[in-house]
Amino acid sequence: MSAGRIYDKIDDVSFAEVKFIANDSVIAKVLTQEEIEELLKAHENDEFNLEDE
């Protein structure tokens, strides 16, 4: 999708997983709420945690 189409589909705050970086382009997967919760559970013992912010 183009950036404009993605912009219309995401909330005020969203997270993405960067897959590739090439020159001045980034290819990323916009995460669903369920995917974000899975990542937080998998990393709940990490020193850096998004829930602390």
Side-chain angles (χ1 to χ4, degrees):
M1 281 187 205
S2 68
R5 290 195 62 205
I6 292 172
Y7 178 80
D8 291 336
K9 296 185 180 290
I10 60 174
D11 298 327
D12 290 338
V13 176
S14 293
F15 292 90
E17 180 179 9
V18 174
K19 298 291 188 173
F20 303 99
I21 301 173
N23 298 326
D24 61 350
S25 298
V26 174
I27 296 175
K29 176 184 177 188
V30 177
L31 301 174
T32 64
Q33 185 63 38
E34 291 81 21
E35 291 170 323
I36 294 167
E37 290 170 6
E38 285 179 29
L39 283 172
L40 289 173
K41 285 181 189 175
H43 298 285
E44 61 189 12
N45 293 323
D46 289 351
E47 188 174 317
F48 174 77
N49 192 322
L50 294 173
E51 291 179 335
D52 293 337
E53 293 185 355

